[in-house]
Amino acid sequence: MKIQRALISVSDKTGLIPFAKRLNSLGVEILSTGGTAKALSDEGIPVIEISDYTGAPEMFDGRLKTIHPKVHGGLLFRRDHPDDPDQAKNNDIPPIDLLVVNLYPFEKTIARDDVTLEEAIENIDIGGPAMLRAASKNYKSVTVITDIDDYEIVANEMEETGGETSLKTRERLAIKVFLRTGSYDQTIGNFLNKSQETD
């Protein structure tokens, strides 16, 4: 289960560059979005912009970037299924083996005393949770990271195995994602509910 292609899209770029350099040294192709792609490119790390990869431009001030069959199909198709690999190939959907996403800083945004409802809404991540859930659902084949503390663990494991991660690691990371996205959505719901009550 060697990782050959990664999609990285992060708001918090702490630790990103050293991790991406290690992926590059292992021969991993890196796809990325907007500011993340620029941060990688500025450090000389080869990166493919997601819009170039999918053939679809980013739209609506960045609201729509990664919701595309080539992204979600690459995360979701079952590598060991009798039909999925052929369907992926016939529809030009290469596998995405590693997803690295941390979400828009909704919690940090709403912690400000002067935050407006409009600002809060623009910091509700859509593509991030969708990709995280897709990758986590397919953890038998896809490694997913949403916590920067896991960069070192995954990079070490890949370097020790020639580019692979263990099923145990992938399962642990997937569980972490579902807990994170659940908490994220709960925070959004609580904020909007409170906002409605104060109208």
Side-chain angles (χ1 to χ4, degrees):
M1 213 50 90
K2 185 175 181 180
I3 293 172
Q4 300 183 67
R5 183 174 295 103
L7 171 52
I8 305 176
S9 182
V10 293
S11 292
D12 182 355
K13 296 175 178 57
T14 305
L16 170 66
I17 300 306
F19 178 62
K21 285 181 176 178
R22 293 171 78 175
L23 293 180
N24 182 56
S25 70
L26 287 163
V28 177
E29 179 182 83
I30 298 176
L31 315 174
S32 193
T33 60
T36 305
K38 184 178 186 306
L40 295 171
S41 182
D42 286 349
E43 292 293 329
I45 300 168
V47 60
I48 299 170
E49 285 264 10
I50 200 69
S51 56
D52 293 331
Y53 183 71
T54 63
E58 292 187 11
M59 291 184 280
F60 315 129
D61 291 330
R63 278 187 163 203
L64 185 61
K65 291 183 276 196
T66 57
I67 298 176
H68 190 280
K70 204 165 180 180
V71 172
H72 288 268
L75 295 169
L76 278 168
F77 87 81
R78 295 159 292 186
R79 278 49 162 178
D80 59 352
H81 191 273
D83 300 321
D84 284 15
D86 284 342
Q87 288 183 37
K89 184 177 180 181
N90 292 339
N91 288 281
D92 187 28
I93 298 176
I96 298 173
D97 312 300
L98 170 63
L99 177 71
V100 184
V101 168
N102 56 55
L103 303 174
Y104 289 177
F106 184 81
E107 297 96 336
K108 185 177 179 180
T109 299
I110 64 171
R112 289 181 13 233
D113 292 335
D114 62 343
V115 67
T116 65
L117 178 60
E118 290 74 19
E119 286 177 304
I121 286 173
E122 287 308 313
N123 276 277
I124 296 175
D125 202 324
I126 302 300
M131 289 190 294
L132 286 171
R133 289 174 62 83
S136 297
K137 179 173 182 173
N138 204 22
Y139 72 84
K140 286 185 178 179
S141 301
V142 180
T143 305
V144 56
I145 300 176
T146 194
D147 183 348
I148 60 177
D149 290 340
D150 291 314
Y151 289 170
E152 188 76 11
I153 294 166
V154 169
N156 286 345
E157 199 166 302
M158 289 176 66
E159 288 167 353
E160 289 166 5
T161 61
E164 299 181 5
T165 58
S166 68
L167 178 60
K168 184 176 180 181
T169 293
R170 293 194 299 275
E171 184 175 30
R172 181 183 65 79
L173 293 172
I175 292 168
K176 200 168 186 178
V177 162
F178 285 119
L179 292 172
R180 170 64 180 132
T181 56
S183 171
Y184 190 76
D185 284 341
Q186 175 101 40
T187 302
I188 293 168
N190 288 342
F191 174 81
L192 293 177
N193 189 48
K194 184 178 179 182
S195 175
Q196 184 183 55
E197 289 173 353
T198 57
D199 283 348

